[in-house]
Amino acid sequence: MPKKICITGASRGIGRAIAEAFAGEGWELYLICKENLEMLEDAAGEWRREYGVNAACFAVDVTDTEKYEAFLKELPAMDVLINNAGISYMGLLQDMSLTDWRQVMDTNLTSVFLSCKHLLPGMLSRNSGRIINISSVWGEHGASMEAAYSASKGAVNALTKALAKEAAPGNVQVNAVACGLIDTSMNAKLSEAEMQTLITEIPADRIGRPEEVAALCLQLAQAPEYLTGQIITLDGGWTV
């Protein structure tokens, strides 16, 4: 029987790359997006044909807590949960509205809490499971003009470490991948000049690829059980 994985924010970028990587290994996919369901279904169709996997796609707003919790309660027990859904806000903190602040926090942090709250018990009951949270280097270092995003990812890192301690007796490992500059739509808003300036600061002399994040997630899903509570940085040496 194939193992089951739930991925939030799966329709594009890092989430889509993760889904394809696990499809290639024969995993049964439960894929969540906010509104790009047609795009996600098209990708899932390709993976069904190419890899022969089962892939279920759902359009669920993770910030709608009532609907998201109801959805999570209907899912079967998962072997792996990947919390990838995330948004950013560019601008000065003093210009940010409370609504914008809450949107970032609900998407990047509260959704992680809800996913873990409802899917962790199934893992603990089977004495096996992995939770992988997609974080950011800004969760540790902070980014100017991205205070809310940085705060949300810093909280995800702390949650990862704390939950790893709670879940370890039940043989569930909880880790996070702190991404550097990755080639996604979230970073597409940067101008060519801004992008080149950032690349000059990265020892690897390039931005990362979503497929590289996916490969690391696949490794974490298969890593020794003693590996837990870690924030693993993937940034080409940028913040070392």
Side-chain angles (χ1 to χ4, degrees):
M1 179 178 292
K3 292 185 176 181
K4 297 179 175 63
I5 181 170
C6 178
I7 306 169
T8 66
S11 65
R12 58 185 181 177
I14 291 172
R16 178 172 174 148
I18 293 171
E20 183 166 11
F22 279 84
E25 295 296 319
W27 286 62
E28 186 171 316
L29 310 175
Y30 291 79
L31 309 175
I32 303 169
C33 67
K34 181 178 181 180
E35 54 193 15
N36 296 319
L37 186 59
E38 184 176 353
M39 179 190 301
L40 185 56
E41 284 282 12
D42 288 344
E46 294 178 10
W47 302 329
R48 293 186 192 106
R49 291 187 294 271
E50 183 172 356
Y51 304 116
V53 298
N54 293 322
C57 303
F58 309 92
V60 185
D61 184 351
V62 298
T63 68
D64 187 332
T65 55
E66 185 175 339
K67 289 183 178 179
Y68 189 46
E69 285 195 276
F71 165 78
L72 290 167
K73 290 175 182 178
E74 296 300 317
L75 288 178
M78 293 290 154
D79 296 285
V80 171
L81 162 65
I82 297 189
N83 289 302
N84 170 71
I87 61 172
S88 64
Y89 174 92
M90 291 287 292
L92 294 171
L93 180 69
Q94 67 205 42
D95 296 330
M96 189 178 195
S97 70
L98 182 57
T99 297
D100 287 332
W101 172 271
R102 286 175 172 162
Q103 185 70 14
V104 171
M105 290 298 167
D106 285 348
T107 305
N108 297 1
L109 178 60
T110 305
S111 71
V112 177
F113 158 68
L114 292 174
S115 299
C116 293
K117 172 182 171 64
H118 290 285
L119 297 184
L120 177 60
M123 296 178 180
L124 294 174
S125 68
R126 293 178 295 114
N127 199 45
S128 176
R130 307 287 172 101
I131 296 173
I132 303 170
N133 298 320
I134 304 302
S135 185
S136 167
V137 294
W138 298 141
E140 180 179 355
H141 299 280
S144 175
M145 305 289 284
E146 292 189 78
Y149 181 79
S150 300
S152 70
K153 293 303 185 179
V156 166
N157 291 349
L159 175 59
T160 297
K161 294 177 182 180
L163 186 58
K165 294 179 179 179
E166 289 186 22
N171 195 36
V172 175
Q173 293 76 46
V174 186
N175 295 291
V177 177
C179 298
L181 188 63
I182 306 296
D183 187 11
T184 66
S185 59
M186 186 179 291
N187 292 315
K189 59 183 174 290
L190 296 172
S191 69
E192 182 64 27
E194 290 171 327
M195 184 67 75
Q196 288 305 315
T197 298
L198 290 173
I199 289 174
T200 62
E201 300 173 357
I202 301 173
D205 198 33
R206 65 175 177 85
I207 62 176
R209 299 185 299 272
E211 293 77 14
E212 292 176 300
V213 184
L216 180 53
C217 289
L218 194 59
Q219 289 179 317
L220 286 173
Q222 303 166 339
E225 295 173 349
Y226 208 55
L227 179 66
T228 193
Q230 302 306 303
I231 313 300
I232 301 169
T233 301
L234 185 69
D235 70 352
W238 190 16
T239 58
V240 173

